[in-house]
Amino acid sequence: MPRTGGIYSLPPGYVAVSGETIQPSQHNPPLEDIAQALTDSLPRNGTAPMTGNLPMGGNRITGLGAATDGGHAPRFDQVLARDGSYGMTAPLSVTAGTEVAPAVQFSNANNGVYWSPGNGPSFTAAGTTIGQLRGGTALSDTFSIVTRQAGDARYMQQSWTLTAGNGLTGGGNGSANRAVALGTPSTVGASTTNTVTTGSHTHAIGADIARSAITISSGNGLTGGGNLTANRTINMGTPSSITADSTNSASGNTHTHAISAATIGELMSRLSVGAVGTYALLADINTSADLNPGATRAGSNLRYASAGGQTFGSAPAGTWQLCGFTPGGASSHEQRATVWMRVS
């Protein structure tokens, strides 16, 4: 007998009565029916497949192993919930698709997204590419990274124009890349002002900036100077020689200094014996003619002398000028001893 609602029942007439002979009709049909019922059952060890749909009656299949092949039933934790309550745990891999058969489709088979080898993700509508992302390269005129509807003011239309205002150049409509640049400025002059004009501009010179009309003049004791059209140098003028009567003064392009008697005395006190500018009592040992004041002699012709005219063996260095008188015919040294000043 067939199962009814999943319940198996033996065929009628199978019950044996005590004391009566068992008939084949009581024995064979039940066993044959049981054999068929067992054949129609699903083996637990999986040795036979299902031959029809298996209604679950609102019950769940529990303890299901994770699917590892295309013919396996996936578990709940292996599928993506439609309401997004369970996130992806691995990348979603789909085929690249084509323009007329995109990998991800919306409503119709030829509306969706596909991958363009060598370019990137592309968008198709009615089997025609309407947009494409190309990393690192310019977009083709036939593709747009964004699409817009008529009257959409968020994006620049090709008919719109970018105009360069005063002081700027460049611009143009939205059909190509445009550049706006600062116009070439006019030359700054002493009287220019801060202005902008078509394609140009200029600046005023501040009061704290020097102009070419301003001149640097060298005062007393200095030389150089000039206007500010070039670098200028101010130098100290060559001073006059200091004399006993000179004063502290500056005039023209020179100057001089006064020197006090105390300073002269101090300088003289610091001169060593035999230095230029010092005096010494010397005797000429080689002259045969008179020597008058102002005559000069090399130190090798002179010897240091005492007031009594005695000479010493050392000769002074340098050149000396006679401050007294030496007779040429004198035979004794004492007659030739007089005052000399070293001049070099």
Side-chain angles (χ1 to χ4, degrees), residues 128-176:
T128 301
T129 300
I130 61 172
Q132 190 173 85
L133 299 179
R134 296 180 178 179
T137 62
L139 294 176
S140 169
D141 291 340
T142 59
F143 299 126
S144 176
I145 196 169
V146 292
T147 58
R148 60 181 303 279
Q149 298 177 350
D152 192 340
R154 292 177 300 169
Y155 312 108
M156 183 175 181
Q157 301 182 32
Q158 290 190 7
S159 61
W160 295 355
T161 299
L162 176 66
T163 302
N166 284 342
L168 303 175
T169 61
N173 60 32
S175 63

Side-chain angles (χ1 to χ4, degrees), residues 4 19 100 133 207 265 275 302:
T4 303
V100 296
L133 299 179
L302 305 174

Side-chain angles (χ1 to χ4, degrees), residues 276 296-299 302 317-321 341-344:
V276 175
T296 59
R297 296 282 279 168
L302 305 174
T319 300
W320 294 76
Q321 185 179 58
M341 181 181 72
R342 183 175 174 180
V343 295
S344 65

Side-chain angles (χ1 to χ4, degrees), residues 105-330:
Q105 300 177 359
F106 306 98
S107 301
N108 298 323
N110 55 9
N111 296 332
V113 181
Y114 71 97
W115 183 265
S116 175
N119 293 319
S122 303
F123 306 89
T124 181
T128 301
T129 300
I130 61 172
Q132 190 173 85
L133 299 179
R134 296 180 178 179
T137 62
L139 294 176
S140 169
D141 291 340
T142 59
F143 299 126
S144 176
I145 196 169
V146 292
T147 58
R148 60 181 303 279
Q149 298 177 350
D152 192 340
R154 292 177 300 169
Y155 312 108
M156 183 175 181
Q157 301 182 32
Q158 290 190 7
S159 61
W160 295 355
T161 299
L162 176 66
T163 302
N166 284 342
L168 303 175
T169 61
N173 60 32
S175 63
N177 295 331
R178 302 299 179 187
V180 175
L182 186 66
T184 303
S186 300
T187 302
V188 177
S191 60
T192 55
T193 59
N194 295 320
T195 60
V196 288
T197 58
T198 302
S200 182
H201 70 282
T202 188
H203 298 271
I205 299 179
D208 56 339
I209 298 178
R211 293 166 168 79
S212 60
I214 297 176
T215 299
I216 297 177
S217 301
S218 56
N220 285 340
L222 303 175
T223 63
N227 61 31
L228 298 182
T229 58
N231 296 328
R232 302 299 180 188
T233 302
I234 300 293
N235 295 307
M236 180 182 290
T238 302
S240 300
S241 298
I242 298 176
T243 66
D245 298 324
S246 61
T247 60
N248 294 322
S249 65
S251 61
N253 59 3
T254 187
H255 70 282
T256 188
H257 296 272
I259 184 168
S260 65
T263 300
I264 296 174
E266 175 67 18
L267 292 175
M268 292 298 295
S269 68
R270 295 184 183 184
L271 294 176
S272 60
V273 174
V276 175
T278 60
Y279 295 87
L281 188 62
L282 302 172
D284 189 298
I285 62 172
N286 293 321
T287 184
S288 59
D290 292 345
L291 294 179
N292 294 306
T296 59
R297 296 282 279 168
S300 58
N301 295 313
L302 305 174
R303 297 291 184 273
Y304 284 105
S306 64
Q310 296 176 346
T311 59
F312 297 90
S314 62
T319 300
W320 294 76
Q321 185 179 58
L322 180 62
C323 296
F325 175 79
T326 296

